[in-house]
Amino acid sequence: MAENGDTHDNYQRSNSFKDSDKYVRTRSGTYVRRDSDSYSRKDSSMPEFRSALKSRLQKSKDELPQGLMREVLETYKPNLLTRRRRLIEDFVRDLMLNNDHIHVMEQQMRDAIKMGLKKENHENASVKCFPTYVKELPNGKEQGKFLSLDLGGTNFRVIFMELTKDKEFMMDSKIYAIPHSVMIGPGVELFDHIADCLAMFVLDRKIQDETLPLGFTFSFPLQQEGLNKATLVKWTKGFNCAGVEGEDVVGLLQEALERRGDVKIEVCAILNDTTGCLMSCAWRDNRCRIGLILGTGTNACYLEDIKNIETLNPEDFPGQEHMVINTEWGAFGDKGELNFIKTKWDENVDEMSVNPGKQIYEKMISGMYMGELIRQVLVDLMKDDLIFVGADREQLLERGSFFTRYASEIESDPVGEYTRCRQALEELGMDPDEVSDDDCSALRYVCEAVSRRASMMASAGITALLKKMDYKDVVIAIDGS
């Protein structure tokens, strides 16, 4: 990495980017423009707690007595729980999963995947397993200039990239917001907004005279009919734009670009974010066979034998052995598969969502819903005066007020310290001085219970894919926020 103030590094580049010295090489080997959103994201708001925790642990260790007394103190672990804390732990016991739960869930996920691959059962399957028409994974020799559009949440990203023959990857990107009114308005408005931002990006980079192929990452359930033709099955993640479900989203974007008429962009491929994640990792590591998204929503894709995909005619793909399958596993549980571990808080979150009864697995583990799930638990604890007694709790009673990022920040505090926890509570309108350490400890316990359950459920899904594929050595590409 270049030093501060230096615009050069020690790597020679073979790319054709203008002003290539403005790019800096990241640890992954990717070249990113210094003033792009991709480079600035290295200073993310996610707290860096590992080094602080390490130094605190070392300090505590150094302050301990030496010799035999030190050994005694290191092995002594007090187990003093207040009555209130015991009640809280008992209150959230339904969020605790064991190995039997995970085993049953993994088997049911495998059965749901097999059902989605069968022609006669596909319509009624909760895990649809859509073919992506991506028949080969990258070999690392690809090169050229490309545009990429990544749409899958309240923001979308436009990327201009170049792959070189020396396996260098240079990237320039910008993130654009999608107003809530556009997320739930007419579909034409959404695609016009995307086209406007695309044109703005291209004109700003002065590449409007080049005809650039665009890969469209569309992170919603798709029924693909070809590499550049796909219809939206249903909206998720809070989107509900009219006139898009059942329509070809590539055609809608191309029409919006043509309405502008000032840029030369051809949408040559559409894929789910999981497929994009898998392809980008496979470009560097040919053992990669699974793409996993754990962020605003959740989904996974994997490499399947064409002979097992009964929704396709194998004769249409002579000489081809494999195809990437987009599982759309966020809908797992829609047929009741997860009822045996679903809690009343999960049901409340589902009932208040824009798509009740759908995407159950996603609502139990993904970032869009985890904060609200924690808030539901806290509200019930407050009703019984088990937490935040005497503090201003009004804002916490408002739906959606507890952001998922609060859970990350609270769990990142070193054990026994509650600095970030109190900062989060202050944002929720509470006076930090009115919140006790016991309250902070209980809040952390609830956050950990929800996030631990989510991680165990995600691992059950991954295990199902690994057993389904039965490869000896598999690398999993993971992305998310």
Side-chain angles (χ1 to χ4, degrees), residues 35-36 75 203 222 229 291 313 320 337 352 354 399 404:
D35 58 352
S36 75
T75 56
L203 293 167
L222 291 171
K229 186 174 183 181
N313 182 1
Q320 297 292 331
E337 300 98 329
M352 292 190 295
V354 296
R399 178 186 164 196
T404 301

Side-chain angles (χ1 to χ4, degrees), residues 109-129 311 335 337:
M109 176 69 86
R110 248 191 301 165
D111 291 342
I113 291 170
K114 290 176 183 176
M115 185 178 289
L117 292 171
K118 291 187 178 296
K119 189 173 184 179
E120 64 270 21
N121 298 325
H122 179 80
E123 192 67 31
N124 296 319
S126 59
V127 182
K128 292 297 186 183
C129 292
T311 53
K335 303 294 183 182
E337 300 98 329

Side-chain angles (χ1 to χ4, degrees), residues 299-354:
N299 193 15
C301 69
Y302 73 103
L303 198 64
E304 181 60 272
D305 295 338
I306 285 184
K307 65 182 181 181
N308 295 333
I309 310 172
E310 296 182 14
T311 53
L312 295 176
N313 182 1
E315 295 177 2
D316 294 338
F317 306 93
Q320 297 292 331
E321 295 183 1
H322 305 102
M323 183 177 289
V324 176
I325 289 293
N326 169 26
T327 64
E328 288 300 339
W329 76 4
F332 178 59
D334 290 8
K335 303 294 183 182
E337 300 98 329
L338 295 174
N339 286 354
F340 73 107
I341 56 174
K342 214 159 72 163
T343 68
K344 62 178 179 179
W345 304 302
D346 295 304
E347 290 172 358
N348 290 342
V349 169
D350 179 41
E351 287 171 8
M352 292 190 295
S353 68
V354 296

Side-chain angles (χ1 to χ4, degrees), residues 370-384:
M370 195 178 293
E372 178 59 19
L373 183 58
I374 292 170
R375 191 192 72 85
Q376 291 283 338
V377 179
L378 295 176
V379 168
D380 279 357
L381 288 173
M382 290 190 302
K383 286 177 183 176
D384 290 348

Side-chain angles (χ1 to χ4, degrees), residues 12-18 20 23 31 162 164 168 170:
Q12 291 186 345
R13 304 177 179 81
S14 55
N15 66 86
S16 57
F17 265 46
K18 296 176 182 178
S20 61
Y23 291 78
Y31 286 93
E162 181 176 2
T164 74
E168 292 175 348
M170 295 193 67

Side-chain angles (χ1 to χ4, degrees), residues 262-473:
D262 56 350
V263 289
K264 301 174 182 177
I265 297 173
E266 180 184 353
V267 185
C268 63
I270 184 167
L271 63 160
N272 194 272
D273 53 350
T274 53
T275 311
C277 180
L278 168 59
M279 299 291 278
S280 62
C281 180
W283 185 69
R284 292 194 177 279
D285 192 326
N286 58 14
R287 297 171 300 162
C288 190
R289 295 289 183 272
I290 294 175
L292 172 65
I293 298 295
L294 284 171
T296 305
T298 183
N299 193 15
C301 69
Y302 73 103
L303 198 64
E304 181 60 272
D305 295 338
I306 285 184
K307 65 182 181 181
N308 295 333
I309 310 172
E310 296 182 14
T311 53
L312 295 176
N313 182 1
E315 295 177 2
D316 294 338
F317 306 93
Q320 297 292 331
E321 295 183 1
H322 305 102
M323 183 177 289
V324 176
I325 289 293
N326 169 26
T327 64
E328 288 300 339
W329 76 4
F332 178 59
D334 290 8
K335 303 294 183 182
E337 300 98 329
L338 295 174
N339 286 354
F340 73 107
I341 56 174
K342 214 159 72 163
T343 68
K344 62 178 179 179
W345 304 302
D346 295 304
E347 290 172 358
N348 290 342
V349 169
D350 179 41
E351 287 171 8
M352 292 190 295
S353 68
V354 296
N355 53 350
K358 298 178 181 178
Q359 301 295 110
I360 300 300
Y361 185 47
E362 182 171 87
K363 288 171 183 173
M364 294 177 78
I365 73 172
S366 73
M368 184 168 187
Y369 304 96
M370 195 178 293
E372 178 59 19
L373 183 58
I374 292 170
R375 191 192 72 85
Q376 291 283 338
V377 179
L378 295 176
V379 168
D380 279 357
L381 288 173
M382 290 190 302
K383 286 177 183 176
D384 290 348
D385 278 339
L386 292 174
I387 195 169
F388 305 138
V389 178
D392 183 356
R393 308 184 290 191
E394 285 302 313
Q395 192 171 331
L396 199 52
L397 296 174
E398 297 174 11
R399 178 186 164 196
S401 59
F402 194 96
F403 303 132
T404 301
R405 67 176 173 85
Y406 291 157
S408 298
E409 291 164 2
I410 289 164
E411 291 183 50
S412 70
D413 266 328
V415 176
E417 288 188 8
Y418 306 106
T419 305
R420 296 186 182 96
C421 178
R422 284 191 159 87
Q423 288 173 351
L425 292 173
E426 192 171 9
E427 286 186 39
L428 287 164
M430 295 189 195
D431 184 345
D433 295 332
E434 294 178 354
V435 179
S436 68
D437 283 358
D438 285 346
D439 284 333
C440 292
S441 177
L443 174 56
R444 179 176 181 136
Y445 183 82
V446 172
C447 292
E448 287 177 342
V450 172
S451 58
R452 188 184 298 113
R453 186 188 70 159
S455 64
M456 292 179 74
M457 292 179 68
S459 66
I462 295 169
T463 303
L465 291 179
L466 291 170
K467 288 185 176 180
K468 175 72 177 69
M469 296 169 68
D470 197 26
Y471 279 89
K472 184 179 180 181
D473 190 12

